Amino acid sequence: MDFFKSGLKTVLGAPEPGHQPSGAETVERLVDRVNNSTLLEDRRDACRALKAMSRKYRVEVGAQGMETLKQVLELDRADSETINYALDTLNNIMSPSQFEEEEDNPQVPMNIGEQFTEMFIKDHHNIQLVLDLLDEYDFRVRLSAVQLLTSLLTNRPKDIQEIILVKPMGVSKMMDLLSDTREVIRNETLLLLIKLTKGNANIQKIVAFENAFDRLFEIVSSEGFSDGGIIVEDCLLLMLNLLKNNSSNINFFKEGSYIQKMLPMFNTPEDTEDPGWSPQKVSNVHCMLHIVRTLVSPSNSAQIVLDCQRIMKNVGLLDSLCNILMASGVPADILTETINTVGEVVRGNVGNQDFIGNVMAPSNPPRPAIVVLLMSMVNEKQPFSLRCAVLYCFQCYLYHNEMSQANLVQTLLPSSTDVSSLTSGQLLCGGLFSSDVLSNWFSAVSLMHALIDNPIQKEQLLRVLLATNIGSSPVSLLHQCTLLLQQTTKLQTKVALLMLLSQWMSECPAAVSAFLRVPGGVGYLVNQTCSNEHDENEYLLQGLSAFLLAICIHFNDDSVENYSKDSLKQLLVKRIGMETFTAKLSEVSKHELYNKAAKHPQLRAKIPAEVLIDYEFCRLFKVLESVLVKSFIVKEEASPEEAGERSSPGGAALEQYKALIRQQDARLQELVAQLDALLQQNQSLQSALNDSLASNSHLKDENTLLKAQVSAAKCVPSTDTTPSQDNARASEYEARIQQLTAEVTRLNDLLRTSQEEKKSAAEELEKLRNDQDDLLVLLSDLDMKVNEYKMRLVSLGEKVEDENPEVPEPNLT
Amino acid sequence: MAYAYLFKYIIIGDTGVGKSCLLLQFTDKRFQPVHDLTIGVEFGARMITIDGKQIKLQIWDTAGQEAFRSITRSYYRGAAGALLVYDITRRDTFNHLTTWLEDARQHSNSNMVIMLIGNKSDLESRREVKKEEGEAFAREHGLVFMETSAKTAANVEEAFINTAKEIYEKIQEGVFDINNEANGIKIGPQHSTGGGASGAGGAGAGGAAGGGCC
């Protein structure tokens, strides 16, 4: 500290005697000097002093110096030493950790670094300033800039990620530093990138695009793979960040042949004497296994998983993993994680499942690796997490693979003659009925997984017989399970058996009737369902019993006399009641561990007490719950009518079938008639077709004949008209003829009318002539009278003047 | 699978012009009629053969939306080829080409091969940009030009393969520094041990054939 004090003295000048300046005052003067001094040396010294003070007087330096230090970054870029002091000072101010110097200072708030970070990043330009400094080749500057960015990211990861993402070349600049030949910078950059890529898919993609995987594998390889130091672990952590939940990058990793490059990590040294596993190596391999699992995680898309699994087998990665399983001296947690990893590498991939099915353990006598693993699972003395891992691995081995499911069941059937060697089936049966609760649970769930979506194995497993006591006759596995369910007092065993039976009996009427034949089975379920205990686990048991009971009804083929579908339903309605029943059923999915199990195929139990419900059972329950409830409600509504006539269910069914047959018969006849009609129709159509064909050919002949005639006609020179012209002319003529005929008829009419007119005129004439004759007669009469009167007049002496005296007009009317 | 070279491509252009569809048609030989917005960047890969050499194409399909523009910029530098896509039925996507090109030129290495693509050539009845206009733009800016249809797959193979041929020729001419991976070119494992990559086959790209998806 004396050195600093003397340094300060030289910078600030001698203090006034008798007055010891406070930290704040000193900071103020230093900041003032950086701001106002024109000499670079002075500014540099002031920065150095500020850096020295920034640990103890963090608040003061940060509050007063922030702006000044930012200016230094901008204006003094040419002097790397000054820049370096400024960066280090900023880094101290915003450091996420607490310094020794400030431990006893209660005035420093806990999150002071974060508060200053918030101030610093308000102006995005400040981040750009630091990013620009990454371009400086100077070791100190570059290192300080990287460290400052790491601090900023630690305090405000989301904000800084968003800011850097929009800075052109922001991420690229950091990626360049990964190739820096100076290891310190490279290593610090790794830490920076781990923070930068955490949870930001866009940055992860850019980093991957900038050849991150190549760089990282180069580093891992140069550091000696899994035997390397913490740098290897950092590289792997970064890879993990890049791949986690980032399907685009996983795809890139797969397409870029990087899976192959992981292989040397898992190479187990052969023949060399065991060097032991250093803690670092354990961490490294852990990370590597984690990467493998990230690639084939069940939450990825199925196509990506299948591709990765295939590649892992083809390049020998799966083989290497199996070698770790079989190697000696592998730490337990690595072994556990390797088992989990092997599980996910084979899950749902038939080729890979077959592969591990054929792996033999180097034991004496040689046993299949699967058998050796199961031995650990049902062994109380093995670590809990290891046993869980084996269960998961075995479930993955059975998943979507009818062959491996069949193989497991096969080992239990009486036909398998191989008595000498221990089989998986025997191990599981042993586990099922052992006194160890976890063994019960693991074995029951394992067996259950051999039955998923596999009706054949459900029936096959019914054939399995167990020799319980020497001398007594063997009983079936199902029988024994049902008995155990009634006898045991342990929750986990009960739940496991209920899950096994549910899976077994769903979609399998044969298993249902086998269960119904076991004495006490149904009674137990009804009692359990009715039970009125108030406890989370009791609710679960009641729900599971209700579920199994519902399966007994729904998949019942009425082959057991006392427990037909209807009688069981009556039982359910009377003893439990529909509403209570559905309420109990819904309790299952309310259990905390049910919801935990439903999330992921792997059992994620930290302590043995958390082992209760299996993922695949959750799926079964989800599918069937609504189906079962619905089928009951529908049938219940229909039952009142049915109940009356169903006095003899067999007869009723027979009647039903008879009706059905009758119906079908009628339909058959109808169809036959239809067929006949169609055949006839077809025949008539055929003959009609023949006729028309014949007439067609006839017409063709005629046509050719006519053509010939036409062509012959054409040969006559006078009529060189084409038929169409003839036609035209003919129609023309025809039209004219028609016209003429019309004319003729018109004229005829005219003639007729004129004749008639003539006739009537003649008649008129005749009449007039007659009239004239009459008049002439009358006239002559009158003439005679006149003459007579003339005579008389003359005779009377009257003089008559005219020869023709005026004659009065004769009245013609 | 072993390859002689690995080329990195990016696909850029306005949103909705069919960038992701072009990639899907090239890698999976199928067409997705529903527009599904690309978020950030998506990755695809395929092996092709040029001049008898296996070449692996790694393709980054970028988001066209303005909001992702700054993210897209991070991909220019490390790419050896870029497919700049517009939609022949939307004039505005053609008008924006200049902006895209400026962006690309500013952030990429100067040797990046840019192929201009007028997509949706199957929608002739709705065409708004003439083929000649695309050709003229390409000529003016020194780009290779093609009209494609991601729907009918017309010219899609050719677009990707011709871009690869250009890059391959540039390698043969020694324009690209193939040892600098920041250029978006990587020498395959078989090649680096064989030595003498350039120089030898300077005849240029010969008959190219589409290889299956690896």
Side-chain angles (χ1 to χ4, degrees), chain A residues 165-169 172 176 202 205-206 208-211 214-215 248 251-252 255-258 260, chain B residues 1 8 10 39-43 45 56 58 60 70-71 73-75 77-79 107 181 186 214:
Chain A
L165 196 55
V166 298
K167 297 284 173 217
M169 298 294 123
S172 311
D176 287 344
N202 281 321
K205 287 177 193 173
I206 297 174
F209 176 80
E210 295 276 357
N211 303 311
D214 284 316
R215 286 290 93 70
S248 180
N251 206 5
F252 175 52
E255 293 289 345
S257 315
Y258 295 110
Q260 288 85 320
Chain B
M1 196 167 162
K8 287 187 182 179
I10 51 170
I39 305 297
V41 174
E42 290 304 324
F43 171 79
K56 184 153 198 159
Q58 289 184 339
W60 276 266
S70 56
I71 295 175
R73 287 196 187 106
S74 300
Y75 289 85
R77 187 183 71 156
H107 295 100
E181 283 182 12
K186 227 159 99 175
C214 46

Side-chain angles (χ1 to χ4, degrees), chain A residues 355-371:
Chain A
F355 180 86
I356 64 157
N358 292 322
V359 171
M360 295 302 278
S363 58
N364 194 22
R367 289 196 175 107
I370 292 285
V371 172

Side-chain angles (χ1 to χ4, degrees), chain A residues 668-730:
Chain A
L668 188 69
Q669 238 143 34
E670 194 186 319
L671 288 173
V672 166
Q674 235 168 34
L675 182 68
D676 279 347
L678 284 172
L679 275 175
Q680 266 172 4
Q681 205 178 345
N682 186 18
Q683 225 161 26
S684 66
L685 281 174
Q686 189 69 45
S687 62
L689 182 65
N690 282 344
D691 284 356
S692 57
L693 273 178
S695 62
N696 192 13
S697 67
H698 182 70
L699 283 172
K700 258 188 201 155
D701 290 349
E702 239 173 20
N703 193 17
T704 37
L705 195 71
L706 283 171
K707 267 187 195 153
Q709 276 176 345
V710 167
S711 56
K714 267 187 203 157
C715 292
V716 182
S718 59
T719 58
D720 55 348
T721 49
T722 57
S724 67
Q725 270 176 319
D726 272 353
N727 279 347
R729 198 159 291 181

Side-chain angles (χ1 to χ4, degrees), chain A residues 19 27 46 84 286 319 392 594 658:
Chain A
H19 175 69
V27 170
N84 177 30
H286 241 298
D319 196 28
Y392 182 50
Y594 176 96
K658 272 184 185 165

Side-chain angles (χ1 to χ4, degrees), chain A residues 351-475:
Chain A
N352 292 11
Q353 284 162 332
D354 288 350
F355 180 86
I356 64 157
N358 292 322
V359 171
M360 295 302 278
S363 58
N364 194 22
R367 289 196 175 107
I370 292 285
V371 172
V372 175
L373 284 174
L374 288 179
M375 284 164 73
S376 309
M377 189 178 79
V378 294
N379 183 347
E380 275 182 84
K381 293 186 183 101
Q382 291 291 344
F384 170 66
S385 59
L386 181 81
R387 298 173 71 184
C388 290
V390 174
L391 174 71
Y392 182 50
C393 185
F394 192 61
Q395 289 172 342
C396 291
Y397 170 65
L398 297 174
Y399 183 75
H400 281 190
N401 187 333
E402 288 183 13
M403 274 311 290
S404 54
Q405 288 175 328
N407 287 342
L408 170 62
V409 175
Q410 189 65 36
T411 59
L412 284 164
L413 290 177
S415 57
S416 66
T417 48
D418 196 3
V419 193
S420 57
S421 66
L422 201 54
T423 65
S424 348
Q426 288 165 5
L427 282 168
L428 293 182
C429 272
L432 197 54
F433 303 112
S434 88
S435 57
D436 171 37
V437 184
L438 282 181
S439 289
N440 298 161
W441 197 90
F442 288 140
S443 303
V445 170
S446 298
L447 275 177
M448 174 185 142
H449 277 249
L451 305 176
I452 295 167
D453 297 330
N454 197 332
I456 299 170
Q457 297 315 321
K458 284 178 186 174
E459 300 210 355
Q460 284 290 312
L461 200 62
L462 287 175
R463 292 172 51 212
V464 174
L465 294 175
L466 301 172
T468 44
N469 292 320
I470 300 157
S472 63
S473 60
V475 293

